[in-house]
Amino acid sequence: MKKKPILSIIIPVYNVQNYLNDCLKSIVSNDLNDVEILIINDGSTDSSLKIIKKYSNKYSQIVYYDRKNSGVSATRNFGLKKSRGKWIWFIDSDDLIKPKILKNLIKLLIDTNLDIFLFRYTEFNKKVNDFSRENELTETQISQYDAMKTLIDSKYASFPWNKIFKKSLFSNIYFPTTRDFTEDMAIIYKLYDKASSFFITTSSLYFYRQRKDSLVHTISLKNLRASAMSHYEMVSFFEKKYSKLAPKLQYETIVSIISYFHRINLWKIKKDKDLYSYLLKYRNYSVLNNRYKVEILSLKYCYPIFKIIGYMGVLHRKLKNEK
């Protein structure tokens, strides 16, 4: 593709042979003028690369890279480095986008020269065959404060794939390569803080597929700590600059840190100084239910009770799963 694109679509791919064809089909069914599609194969061991090559041979707008497995954060950073468009759209390789929408998106980007465009998503359901046929975009300009509010609204949240970003925002901002879980939460608020022009639509332009084998549903110590750190970093920013918006995020942060702490011993808890200190110094108990009030107090004053609550939580989840 010789012509410089307006929009770069970046798609990290890792072992998604059962979904990749649907994802790419939803994209190439659009008008691809002024668009480049960067597909980065992150060391897939299935047939994903074969599918990528098939589409790359057919569409000149598709450029692919085959790399050693390095995780979604490093893969997105690589895509950013290789992209040539003025705007960036990250799309997950098992998801879909609304048909026939790219032409209107390109027009919106050119007409507004926006920094960030936010849109809603629809959770994938096999009974749902398509989005609404309506391809008109009804967008509204919003303030930076209102944009920040959407980060704690589940309709928009901190996902990277239901937003389009001006590429220049990523100068000195990267996805953290030590995290491939909640890595988006770690940087999206920083991009919002840097941006000045926000547009939003209540339309759903993205089809999000939930998979039981996806990273989001993988509970590991590494992922739990990543979640706790991303929440802690984001809430610390909100408490300083957007204190009125912080309470909901404070609750989620407390839950995330406690969930992680229940899986490690007291020595390791105290070694995680930032997270431990946040719980010990926390005072806004009004946002917590009784359980988490007791959990914080027991961690402070009677660690054995904290451990017992953790064991009870494990038992409750086990019984619930068996049921």
Side-chain angles (χ1 to χ4, degrees), residues 72-74 175-183 185-186 215 222 225-227 229-231 233:
V72 68
S73 290
F175 288 95
T177 54
T178 55
R179 292 178 213 170
D180 284 327
F181 186 73
T182 62
E183 76 290 340
M185 178 179 277
L215 192 63
K222 182 182 177 183
R225 186 176 188 279
S227 175
M229 285 303 301
S230 294
H231 277 87
E233 291 164 358

Side-chain angles (χ1 to χ4, degrees), residues 214-225:
S214 69
L215 192 63
V216 172
H217 294 96
T218 304
I219 298 176
S220 68
L221 204 58
K222 182 182 177 183
N223 287 349
L224 286 169
R225 186 176 188 279

Side-chain angles (χ1 to χ4, degrees), residues 166-218:
K166 190 174 281 185
K167 183 181 177 180
S168 58
L169 294 173
F170 286 91
S171 175
N172 298 318
I173 297 178
Y174 311 95
F175 288 95
T177 54
T178 55
R179 292 178 213 170
D180 284 327
F181 186 73
T182 62
E183 76 290 340
D184 41 15
M185 178 179 277
I187 73 162
I188 301 298
Y189 71 89
K190 296 177 183 177
L191 298 170
Y192 279 37
D193 190 47
K194 200 172 179 181
S196 57
S197 173
F198 299 85
F199 281 77
I200 192 169
T201 181
T202 56
S203 298
S204 178
L205 309 184
Y206 194 89
F207 220 157
Y208 170 62
R209 190 195 306 263
Q210 284 205 354
R211 293 190 287 128
K212 289 182 179 179
D213 61 338
S214 69
L215 192 63
V216 172
H217 294 96
T218 304

Side-chain angles (χ1 to χ4, degrees), residues 15-121:
N15 288 352
V16 283
Q17 62 181 17
N18 295 330
Y19 314 104
L20 184 57
N21 192 64
D22 287 343
C23 172
L24 296 179
K25 193 184 293 184
S26 78
I27 297 170
V28 299
S29 65
N30 281 265
D31 182 342
L32 297 180
N33 283 327
D34 302 309
V35 176
E36 71 170 355
I37 303 163
L38 304 176
I39 308 176
I40 301 98
N41 182 48
D42 188 30
S44 296
T45 56
D46 63 0
S47 299
S48 294
L49 184 57
K50 186 177 179 181
I51 297 168
I52 293 168
K53 287 179 177 179
K54 181 184 79 172
Y55 276 86
S56 178
N57 289 334
K58 190 173 181 181
Y59 297 94
S60 61
Q61 295 89 349
I62 294 179
V63 179
Y64 80 89
Y65 298 90
D66 187 23
R67 303 177 76 229
K68 185 178 178 180
N69 180 256
S70 54
V72 68
S73 290
T75 303
R76 285 189 183 131
N77 291 337
F78 178 83
L80 277 168
K81 186 188 291 187
K82 294 294 183 180
S83 63
R84 299 183 300 129
K86 188 174 180 179
W87 286 275
I88 303 291
W89 188 2
F90 297 102
I91 293 176
D92 282 357
S93 52
D94 51 355
D95 296 338
L96 305 135
I97 68 168
K98 185 174 180 178
K100 314 296 182 187
I101 199 61
L102 281 180
K103 187 175 182 179
N104 288 337
L105 279 175
I106 294 294
K107 185 178 184 305
L108 173 66
L109 297 176
I110 294 171
D111 289 348
T112 61
N113 195 35
L114 55 80
D115 287 334
I116 299 177
F117 179 54
L118 300 81
F119 43 92
R120 291 189 184 181
Y121 62 94

